[in-house]
Amino acid sequence: MSNERAASTVRAGGPRRVQLHRTRGWRKPPGVVVVARPSRWGNPFRLSGPDRVVDTLGDEPVVITCSRGASRATAVAMFRAALRDGELPFDGATVVAELSGHDLACWCPLLDADGAPVPCHADVLLEVANAGRPR
């Protein structure tokens, strides 16, 4: 992804998700907030293979088996539930106060090989932070 394409993700149509890159010359666009691990906004539910998610919130890791190809979606669903249920170190009001109006960056790909959107916890943060704002 070129710098031009990355910069185009920051547009007047509302906050969007930006994919972080390690490619030479790539820079995070101005005003984008990184929500990947190890930031405070990172999803604590880690993908641990193509068919398992490990809940790392508690003292003991809990492995949850899910159908193949649904691992990322399950991790995002778990993040959404944890935010809703107050199990994260921040709440919805904090998300709104600190992330509203900002584009959010994570390492998750934006699209899969077929061009379909890839689920990411940043999408949940965008929804909560910008509830009522056009996206």
Side-chain angles (χ1 to χ4, degrees), residues 5 12 47 49 62 64-65 67 74-75 87 92 100 112 114 127 133:
R5 185 169 172 209
L47 302 178
V62 177
I64 299 170
T65 303
S67 62
T74 300
E87 297 172 356
S100 180
D112 66 15
D114 298 324
E127 289 170 21
R133 294 178 78 142

Side-chain angles (χ1 to χ4, degrees), residues 46-54 64 66-72:
R46 297 179 182 267
L47 302 178
S48 61
D51 59 356
R52 295 186 309 152
V53 175
V54 177
I64 299 170
C66 57
S67 62
R68 205 172 264 301
S71 304
R72 188 177 304 276

